[in-house]
Structure formats: C-alpha cells, structure tokens
Amino acid sequence: MASKGNINLSRNKLILSALSIQLSLDSNQFSSDVVENDIKSMYNILKSSKNERPTENNDQMTKWIAFAESFPTESSACFEVLKGLNEDLVLKSVLLGNGLKPSEADVIVFSVIHSSVIELSKSDKEKLPHLMRWIDYIQSKVDLGNVFKKILHEKTPFEPHLHLQGTKAADKVEVESGAKKVAESPKVADKPEAEVKTKKSEDPKAKKSDNAKKATGNKEASKEKKKAPEAETVEKDKEVSVSLLNIKVGLISKAWKHPSADSLLVEEIDVGEGKLRQVVSGLAKFCTPEQLTNRLVVLITNVKPGKLRDVMSEGLVLCASNDDHTIVEPLQPPEGAKVGECISFSGIDGKPEDVLNPKKKQLDKITPHLYTDEKGIATFKGIPFMTSAGPCSSSISKASIK
C-alpha cells in the first residue's frame, strides 16, 4: 500500500501539471522540489512566477486549498467528503467567483479528487449529481486531457441529437407500419371474399400460416407500442427544456403607466441590442415606475411580439410570486451581471427558438418548472439561473416564476 507521503507527492505533481495548464505556464520550468511543498506554497510559487498576488488575502481560495490539503487518502473516507462537496455545488457552476469560468480553485480540487471519483461505481456517482455535473463542466472547459483520464458522466436527456434519434425512430415505425398495411391489403382484395373463405377452410396449412402471421403481427405491434411512448417521452423533454427560451439580463431605462390599463406598466429595456425593447408588464399593483427605472431584470426576448391593450410588447419580464399572488417582484440579476448577457443553466445545452410558437404553448409547459428555492435562488428544475456574476434571485423564497 502506498504511504500517505507518496500519495500526497503524487497529488502535488498532478496539481502542478494542471495549474500550469490553467495559468499558461510550462511545468518543466519548475524544479522537482517544488512539489514537496504544501499545496498553498506550491500555488503561491506558480502565481509569483506570473507576478500575480498570492492567496493570503483571498479567503475563498484559502478555503479550497485547505479542502484539497485535508482531502483523505483513505478511499473509505473519501465518499463522505465528496457528499459534502456535492452539497456545496448545488447552486454553483464553479467553486470560486460565482460565475461560469473555472478558477484555480476548481483545478486544484479537481486534481485532488479525480482518482477517487473515477473509481466510484455508477450507483455512487448517481448519488452525487451536482459533483458529477461540475466535473463534466470542468473537463469540458479546461484542457486537462494529457494529465487526467476523462471521467465519464451520463447527462440528463436534453441533448438535441437524442431528440432527433427519438423522432426518427418513431417516424420509421409509422412508415414501416403504414407500408405493410398497404402491401397486405391488395392481396385480400384481389380475390372474391367467398373464395378466400373457402380456401382457408379447406387448407389447414393455410390456417396455421395465417395464425403465424397474426402472431408475428401482434409482436410487431407490441414493439411499435413500446417504441412510441419512448419517442413521446423524448419529445416531451424537448418541449419543456428551458433551452428553448432566450433569457437575457436587461436594464430598465424608463417605465411609465399604461395609458389604458391600471394594472399594466410599460418599460423600455436595454438588452444590449443597440436599441431599446418596449415591454408591457402586469406590475402596476406591485411596483411604481420609479422603483423599476435603472433596475436590472431578467427578460425572455424570444416571445412573439404583440399588443397588450393597444401597446406593443416585445418581451416578458420574469417575476417571482408567492402562492396567493399578493407579492410579486421581478427577478434580480446579481450585481456585476452584464446587460445583454444570456442566462445559462449548467448541464443544459441547446439553441433557443428564434420566436416561441404560441400555438405549441411552449412557455406554458416550461414555466411550471421555474421557481425560487428556499434561499430565493431562481431555478429551472432546481438548476440556477446563472450569469457571469452569479445566480439570479428574489426576496421571495419557494416562489413560482412567470
């Protein structure tokens, strides 16, 4: 069995290689005794080589370095620590910075836990969904392929190619089934009905053959029935994927009361397009125009433009609401979020629709899955609305979002 000292030395070598990639350094420029330091000292040496500040004044960075240094070497103790890390990642895409860009902390922690995670069974990995989602994200964003073997992660079924395969499979079943019916029907129609009945009664072999065909037909029909629900499930997942929505951070530059509806307000919103969008919102009972002016909001930009009480609206401001709809407020992007940036959902990819089709009721199918959690973080099925500065939120916890 390898000693604890040897395991730590091996870890440090991996960290040195991974951090060198992250910091755009050549790991060969450092002497072999660098890896004999603790992780914090080794990290500071690498940062100093780029004339960047070390970690002393960065509490969060120090926290994750301490986590890496204390990560157990005994495999029996690793899983409990990984469960804690999984909980830490529930509302995060990355460990440090509240954004989407992997940090040095992510690379260090990834390097330390890699050997433990890659040996986990499938059932144990399924118990760590947020950790596995984070690992998959780091592997896709940081080129560590020459240092670490890729940890395989089974993603949730939001991949576009899966929907295409499901649709093609369903289409194929329908085409084959239809073609078979067309091919079989003329055989019966070619001869008079009386003659067909007589031949069947006279020829036992024909009767057996007919029964065999029926049995085969029943089996094929059963297969078709099994395939059809699978295709329907995939299509249903596609219909409720938040990736269909084009959600952006917007800044309300001006707001005023609707000229002919007391419950409505009209806003001019900057979403980084070079021109302002005019949006009508049912917020008059909950906000004044002054409260909305110069406020960041979360806006769906690909709803079909249309008039609300004769005033054109070109978007939908997403708001959180309590159960009895007595408290409503627009979702709040974090301070530092950029006007016009797209809201992302970790682990969910896909191209938004150019314009949502009202006839398909796409928005109606998605909004039941939009809600704030117990901390007020805005989520889709528990996955946070993320910006480059962190998640969007509301002061209303466990609220619906529309």
Side-chain angles (χ1 to χ4, degrees), residues 237-401:
D237 286 341
K238 183 178 179 181
E239 288 175 1
V240 299
S241 173
V242 74
S243 64
L244 295 175
L245 307 182
N246 195 352
I247 310 177
K248 293 185 177 182
V249 175
L251 176 67
I252 298 178
S253 60
K254 183 181 177 182
W256 63 94
K257 291 184 178 179
H258 192 288
S260 59
D262 293 338
S263 63
L264 302 177
L265 293 178
V266 187
E267 306 98 28
E268 286 185 348
I269 304 178
D270 181 6
V271 287
E273 296 173 329
K275 65 180 183 68
L276 301 178
R277 282 183 179 242
Q278 180 172 281
V279 176
V280 179
S281 306
L283 289 169
K285 295 179 182 178
F286 310 102
C287 308
T288 66
E290 292 73 26
Q291 289 171 329
L292 289 178
T293 302
N294 294 323
R295 172 175 176 150
L296 288 177
V297 290
V298 177
L299 186 75
I300 299 177
T301 62
N302 62 337
V303 293
K304 187 176 181 179
K307 288 185 177 182
L308 288 175
R309 298 290 292 270
D310 297 323
V311 175
M312 180 58 69
S313 183
E314 302 173 294
L316 178 66
V317 175
L318 285 175
C319 299
S321 169
N322 64 348
D323 290 339
D324 58 7
H325 207 66
T326 56
I327 305 174
V328 177
E329 68 175 29
L331 292 182
Q332 182 69 56
E335 186 177 349
K338 299 174 183 177
V339 172
E341 72 170 288
C342 291
I343 304 295
S344 64
F345 298 85
S346 182
I348 299 179
D349 300 318
K351 185 180 178 182
E353 295 276 282
D354 292 333
V355 179
L356 296 175
N357 187 341
K359 292 182 180 180
K360 292 183 179 180
K361 299 187 182 297
Q362 293 161 305
L363 195 56
D364 292 341
K365 294 172 183 176
I366 296 170
T367 50
H369 303 287
L370 304 180
Y371 55 87
T372 63
D373 64 13
E374 64 278 358
K375 296 181 181 178
I377 303 297
T379 74
F380 167 76
K381 293 185 176 182
I383 303 171
F385 283 58
M386 288 300 296
T387 71
S388 59
C392 301
S393 61
S394 167
S395 64
I396 312 170
S397 59
K398 297 184 178 178
S400 59
I401 297 175

Side-chain angles (χ1 to χ4, degrees), residues 37-81:
N37 292 282
D38 58 29
I39 296 174
K40 184 175 182 179
S41 299
M42 183 171 63
Y43 173 64
N44 287 341
I45 290 170
L46 268 65
K47 292 287 281 184
S48 297
S49 70
K50 290 179 67 70
N51 296 318
E52 295 180 5
R53 293 177 62 186
T55 63
E56 278 75 4
N57 297 322
N58 190 330
D59 292 339
Q60 283 297 307
M61 188 68 199
T62 302
K63 166 192 167 182
W64 290 114
I65 287 177
F67 172 90
E69 289 179 336
S70 64
F71 191 76
T73 55
E74 304 84 11
S75 57
S76 57
C78 291
F79 190 70
E80 288 303 312
V81 180

Side-chain angles (χ1 to χ4, degrees), residues 10-24:
S10 297
R11 283 180 178 176
N12 283 6
K13 288 179 180 178
L14 291 172
I15 292 170
L16 175 64
S17 298
L19 273 177
S20 296
I21 293 171
Q22 176 73 358
L23 295 170
S24 301

